[in-house]
């Protein structure tokens, strides 16, 4: 069945809604379809596309408040049916080729109250006349700059609406690629998708850009504007371009939170287009993940690399290059598979011949022919592991857990690593083990411990992680630690751990419930950045069933650590994301009080709830935190107790936890605002009052008579491994 042009175009727009979450900047072409049959439509944004033709004359929904058709190639007159929209608040038609007259009925027929407002933007068009009495009320903002109407002497006070800054709205996001609004769109050729280079050192320079869809998967920021210039420097330096060659066309936050943006890359001044080799170079950098690492912006994904106009002929060639690469890769994989098959047969024959002469050892067997190649994760030999740990000498052991032992190792290239060696009872089937490696290799977040490699030889299963020189959070809260974490550092650690858990819940594919969040599973690097550890395949969140339904829990055998376990999970064996929230709330209470979850028959949640209810919360706060703002401490206590509510539905989501901690952190008196400095310090006013005579309403609380603005105090860290 052949679709009509309007129906086909409408389907394309629906697809763009699905994939782009917005019809803005989706490279749409053709005419605008008829939206008059959508009864409840209230917002329409088709801006920054290549739409042409006239604006449909059919009346839109009475609910319509906003129409944005700017930065297209629309022509013809402005429809009078806009005057029939009683709820209209914004009509944005700037930077098109509209001509003829505009009817004053659009604003004269509206009934305004004291707060209602209508903005009509027609800048950079060819409107030549106004039909009707031109007496706009104060509630109406008109923008006519760069239209023939502005030179008319017959329209009273028309110059008032033709100034470059008239009606400027500070609350309205600016997204114009017309620098300062001084270059009329008609001066830039419309063929080959030319447009002005917004930041060009040469005024009104026209060029054809590359259009790129780009998404930050887990940035460590919640607000983009303060970091926009840093991001521009980060991208242009990675692409070896000048700053003016990048333009962030639009951006918006998605669930996660993830930051989606649309970028335009312009050629250097003097060249109106990129040459073929430069396009291929840039596309390969994006496609091959060659961007330098950034803790601030985190991992990214390329959504689209759109080649239009003068670049459209490159699509088949680039596709061919990818296909040729794919053929080579397929050949290599096939050859490798054949070699593995031959090797497997030879291994079986040799093993059978020598079986009667070999002594079978429980932990000494040849590795299976199953293997995987995972980008960024190295397969280590058993010999490399024994060499790194001096044959697993007890002096290199730094930890012990249910899974096995953890050793500090030094690789041949002097890299210090943590080697997690499974004990016999924890060994998985090899297929499950390699599947877990593949899963862990896809997890990338600044607040998760990085997997560097694995070892699957000699009947051993080992995971090799980056080494955390500052141990665990539990070590730092222990009385054995001779250094004291100040309140600001503890707050930063709580926020970092929360962001890591949020990533596991929302960004991991598939999502992961940690199930064993505790202070000893939160590690600290050299800058005291929190890194969540001990997550993996056995903690996968629910997946869709055959009918596409997603359960809200996973039924499992109860696993976890006493004192951190969600009571609801313990009773029902149903693990949810709120189970992790409960455990994290217990960690927050540890951070605030220094207490263990269970000690001498006392439960930390019950003890803190009683102290908070009795109004003596500050009497049980950790006395090693130094001075801190009482309001910040109170808000963190409230958050921790919300996380530890008995009913899961009463607990906040992980996103709410992160946002609350960010708000508390913003309340702290910063002395170092460098966003790239992970070791920000806080200026803390010291009070001479002790806990016995300090009121919770005081601005600052001093947990001891020790003053200080550093994050940590004391001398050498001396922790006995557990």
């Amino acid at each position: 069945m052949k679709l009509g042009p309007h129906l086909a175009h409408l389907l394309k727009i629906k697809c763009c809604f699905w994939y782009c979450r917005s019809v803005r900047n989706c490279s749409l072409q053709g005419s605008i379809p008829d939206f008059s049959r959508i009864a409840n439509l209230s917002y329409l944004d088709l801006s920054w596309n290549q739409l042409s033709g006239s604006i449909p004359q059919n009346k839109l929904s009475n609910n319509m408040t906003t129409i944005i058709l700017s930065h297209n190639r629309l022509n013809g007159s402005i429809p009078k049916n806009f005057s029939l929209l009683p709820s209209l608040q914004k009509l944005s038609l700037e930077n098109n080729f509209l001509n003829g007259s505009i009817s004053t009925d659009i604003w004269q027929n509206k009934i305004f109250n004291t707060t209602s407002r209508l903005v009509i933007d027609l800048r950079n068009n060819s409107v030549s006349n106004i039909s009707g009495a031109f007496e706009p009320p104060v509630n109406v903002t008109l923008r006519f700059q760069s239209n023939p109407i502005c030179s008319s002497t017959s329209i009273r006070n028309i110059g008032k609406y033709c100034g470059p800054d008239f009606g400027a709205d500070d609350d309205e996001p600016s997204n114009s690629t017309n620098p300062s609004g001084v270059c009329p769109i008609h001066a830039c050729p419309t063929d080959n998708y030319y447009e002005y280079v917004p930041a060009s050192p040469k005024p009104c320079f026209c060029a054809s850009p590359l259009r790129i869809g780009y998404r930050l998967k887990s940035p460590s920021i919640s607000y983009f504007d303060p970091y926009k210039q840093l991001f521009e420097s980060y991208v242009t330096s990675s692409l070896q371009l000048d700053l003016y060659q990048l333009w962030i066309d639009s951006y918006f936050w998605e669930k996660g939170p993830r930051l989606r943006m649309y970028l335009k890359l312009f050629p250097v001044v003097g060249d109106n287009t990129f040459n073929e080799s430069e396009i291929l170079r840039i596309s390969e950098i994006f496609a091959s993940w060659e961007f330098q690492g950034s803790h601030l912006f985190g991992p990214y994904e390329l959504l689209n690399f759109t080649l239009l106009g003068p670049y459209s002929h490159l699509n088949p060639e680039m596709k061919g290059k990818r296909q040729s690469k794919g053929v080579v890769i397929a050949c290599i994989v096939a050859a490798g598979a054949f070699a593995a098959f031959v090797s497997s047969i030879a291994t079986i024959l040799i093993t059978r011949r020598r079986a009667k002469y070999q002594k079978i050892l429980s932990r000494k067997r040849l590795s299976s022919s199953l293997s995987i190649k995972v980008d960024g994760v190295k397969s280590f030999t058993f010999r490399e592991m024994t060499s790194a740990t001096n044959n697993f000498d007890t002096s290199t052991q730094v930890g012990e857990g249910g899974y096995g032992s953890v050793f500090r190792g030094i690789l041949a290239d002097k890299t210090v690593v943590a080697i997690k060696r499974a004990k016999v009872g924890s060994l998985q089937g090899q297929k499950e083990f390699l599947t877990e490696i593949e899963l862990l290799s896809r997890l990338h977040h600044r607040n998760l411990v990085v997997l560097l490699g694995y070892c699957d030889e000699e009947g051993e299963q080992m995971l090799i992680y980056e080494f955390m020189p500052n141990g665990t959070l539990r070590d730092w809260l222990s009385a054995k630690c001779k250094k004291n974490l100040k309140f600001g550092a503890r707050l930063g650690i709580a926020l970092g751990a929360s962001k890591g858990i949020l990533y596991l819940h929302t960004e991991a594919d598939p999502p992961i419930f940690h199930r064993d969040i505790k202070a000893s599973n939160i590690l600290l690097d050299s800058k005291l950045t929190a890194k969540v550890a001990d997550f993996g395949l056995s903690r996968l969140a629910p997946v869709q069933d055959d009918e596409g339904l997603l359960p809200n829990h996973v039924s499992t055998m109860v696993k976890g650590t006493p004192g951190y376990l969600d009571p609801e999970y313990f009773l029902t064996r149903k693990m949810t994301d709120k189970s992790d929230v409960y455990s994290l709330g217990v960690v927050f209470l540890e951070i605030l009080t220094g207490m263990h979850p269970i000690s001498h028959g006392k439960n930390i949640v019950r003890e803190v709830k009683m102290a908070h209810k009795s109004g003596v919360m500050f009497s049980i706060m950790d006395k090693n935190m130094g001075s801190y703002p009482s309001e910040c401490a109170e808000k963190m206590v409230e958050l921790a107790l919300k996380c530890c509510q008995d009913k899961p539905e009463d607990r906040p989501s992980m996103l709410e936890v992160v946002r609350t901690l960010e708000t508390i952190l913003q309340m702290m008196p910063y002395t170092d605002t460098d966003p790239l400095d992970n070791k920000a310090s806080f200026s803390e006013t010291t009070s001479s009052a002790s806990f016995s005579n300090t009121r919770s309403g005081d601005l600052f609380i001093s947990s001891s008579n020790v003053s200080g603005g550093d994050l940590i105090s004391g001398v050498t860290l001396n922790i006995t491994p557990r």
Side-chain angles (χ1 to χ4, degrees), residues 197-218:
V197 182
S200 170
K202 179 181 178 181
C204 299
F205 176 69
C206 291
S208 186
L210 303 175
R211 293 167 170 83
I212 296 165
Y214 185 90
R215 178 160 56 201
L216 301 179
K217 298 175 67 176
S218 59

Side-chain angles (χ1 to χ4, degrees), residues 623-683:
K623 295 178 173 54
N624 295 318
M625 288 197 297
S627 303
Y628 50 87
S630 60
E631 184 181 5
C632 294
E634 288 172 355
K635 288 188 177 296
M636 189 168 178
V637 170
E638 291 172 0
L639 174 63
L641 292 178
K642 284 182 181 178
C643 293
C644 295
Q645 290 290 321
D646 290 335
K647 295 182 179 180
E649 59 268 23
D650 294 335
R651 302 170 199 158
S653 67
M654 277 309 307
L655 181 58
E656 291 173 312
V657 171
V658 169
R659 287 178 174 172
T660 302
L661 288 172
E662 287 178 332
T663 300
I664 298 173
L665 194 60
Q666 289 172 357
M667 295 166 57
M668 292 290 291
Y670 287 98
T671 60
D672 186 352
T673 57
D674 182 359
L676 294 179
D677 186 358
N678 293 323
K679 199 174 181 181
S681 60
F682 300 89
S683 173

Side-chain angles (χ1 to χ4, degrees), residues 68 78 91 125 142 147 165-166 274 293 354 378 415 454 460 469 474 480 591 614 627 659 676 711 718:
I68 306 176
I78 300 170
L91 178 61
N125 278 284
L142 301 175
N147 278 275
D165 298 322
F166 181 78
F274 286 101
R354 296 184 179 180
K378 181 179 179 181
T415 301
Y454 67 97
E460 297 273 0
R474 183 65 256 171
K480 297 179 182 179
I591 288 174
S614 303
S627 303
R659 287 178 174 172
L676 294 179
L711 288 178
N718 183 14

Side-chain angles (χ1 to χ4, degrees), residues 362-363 403-404 421-428 459:
S362 61
R363 297 181 64 90
Y403 178 87
R421 185 187 191 190
K423 59 187 179 183
V424 176
S426 298
L427 292 175
Q428 300 171 285

Side-chain angles (χ1 to χ4, degrees), residues 482-708:
K482 294 183 179 180
K483 284 188 176 183
N484 298 324
L485 284 174
K486 295 303 181 72
F487 179 79
R490 299 185 189 212
L491 182 58
I493 291 169
L495 177 58
S498 300
K499 287 184 175 181
I501 300 300
L502 176 62
Y503 174 85
L504 292 177
H505 285 188
T506 61
E507 291 297 301
D509 183 18
I512 293 175
F513 295 158
H514 192 289
R515 290 210 299 179
D516 196 18
I517 298 172
K518 54 186 176 181
S520 57
N521 276 337
I522 297 174
L523 309 183
L524 304 177
D525 69 6
S526 59
K527 296 182 179 180
L528 295 179
T529 301
K531 305 268 189 176
V532 178
D534 199 22
F535 46 87
L537 188 65
S538 61
R539 298 175 172 86
L540 295 185
V543 295
Q544 290 183 347
D545 58 21
D546 294 338
E547 297 180 358
L549 300 177
L550 186 69
N552 59 5
H553 68 275
V554 178
S555 297
T556 71
M557 292 292 292
V558 174
K559 294 183 180 180
T561 303
Y564 295 94
L565 277 176
D566 169 17
E568 187 78 9
Y569 167 49
F570 183 78
L571 292 173
T572 65
R573 289 175 169 74
K574 293 181 178 179
M575 162 67 64
T576 70
D577 57 338
K578 295 297 183 72
S579 303
D580 278 351
V581 172
Y582 182 93
S583 301
L584 192 61
V586 176
V587 173
F588 292 167
L589 295 180
E590 286 184 87
I591 288 174
L592 291 166
T593 66
M595 298 166 55
H596 286 269
I598 298 177
S599 179
H600 304 292
K602 294 183 178 181
N603 179 279
I604 190 173
V605 176
R606 184 165 55 250
E607 293 296 314
V608 173
K609 283 183 177 179
M610 291 174 58
H612 187 260
K613 186 176 181 180
S614 303
V616 294
M617 181 63 218
F618 286 96
S619 66
I620 64 170
M621 298 287 270
D622 191 350
K623 295 178 173 54
N624 295 318
M625 288 197 297
S627 303
Y628 50 87
S630 60
E631 184 181 5
C632 294
E634 288 172 355
K635 288 188 177 296
M636 189 168 178
V637 170
E638 291 172 0
L639 174 63
L641 292 178
K642 284 182 181 178
C643 293
C644 295
Q645 290 290 321
D646 290 335
K647 295 182 179 180
E649 59 268 23
D650 294 335
R651 302 170 199 158
S653 67
M654 277 309 307
L655 181 58
E656 291 173 312
V657 171
V658 169
R659 287 178 174 172
T660 302
L661 288 172
E662 287 178 332
T663 300
I664 298 173
L665 194 60
Q666 289 172 357
M667 295 166 57
M668 292 290 291
Y670 287 98
T671 60
D672 186 352
T673 57
D674 182 359
L676 294 179
D677 186 358
N678 293 323
K679 199 174 181 181
S681 60
F682 300 89
S683 173
E684 301 176 359
T685 303
T686 308
S687 169
S688 59
S690 65
F691 268 102
S692 59
N693 59 11
T694 301
R695 303 186 311 276
S696 62
D698 290 341
L699 179 60
F700 282 87
I701 301 296
S702 177
S703 59
S704 69
N705 57 3
V706 179
S707 65

Side-chain angles (χ1 to χ4, degrees), residues 17-29:
F17 259 117
W18 178 255
Y19 289 107
C20 302
R21 305 294 198 278
S22 171
V23 189
R24 179 189 184 97
N25 191 30
C26 283
S27 301
L28 297 179
Q29 303 177 41

Side-chain angles (χ1 to χ4, degrees), residues 58-130:
N58 296 332
K59 179 182 176 298
L60 297 173
S61 164
N62 285 338
N63 297 326
M64 183 63 70
T65 63
T66 305
I67 301 174
I68 306 176
L69 305 177
S70 58
H71 298 275
N72 280 288
R73 298 171 183 177
L74 302 173
N75 54 36
S77 60
I78 300 170
K80 293 183 179 180
N81 59 35
F82 287 146
S83 64
L84 304 177
L85 304 177
S87 304
L88 188 63
Q89 299 173 13
K90 180 176 181 178
L91 178 61
S92 180
L93 304 175
E94 72 269 23
N95 287 287
N96 280 290
F97 298 94
L98 300 172
N99 52 39
S101 63
I102 178 173
S103 173
T104 60
D105 290 343
I106 295 177
W107 59 83
Q108 298 289 12
N109 288 350
K110 283 183 62 67
I111 299 176
F112 294 98
N113 56 37
T114 56
T115 59
S116 59
R117 183 183 179 190
L118 173 62
V119 177
I120 300 177
D121 195 337
L122 295 174
R123 289 174 295 174
N124 295 315
N125 278 284
S126 299
V127 178
S128 57
N129 194 19
I130 294 178

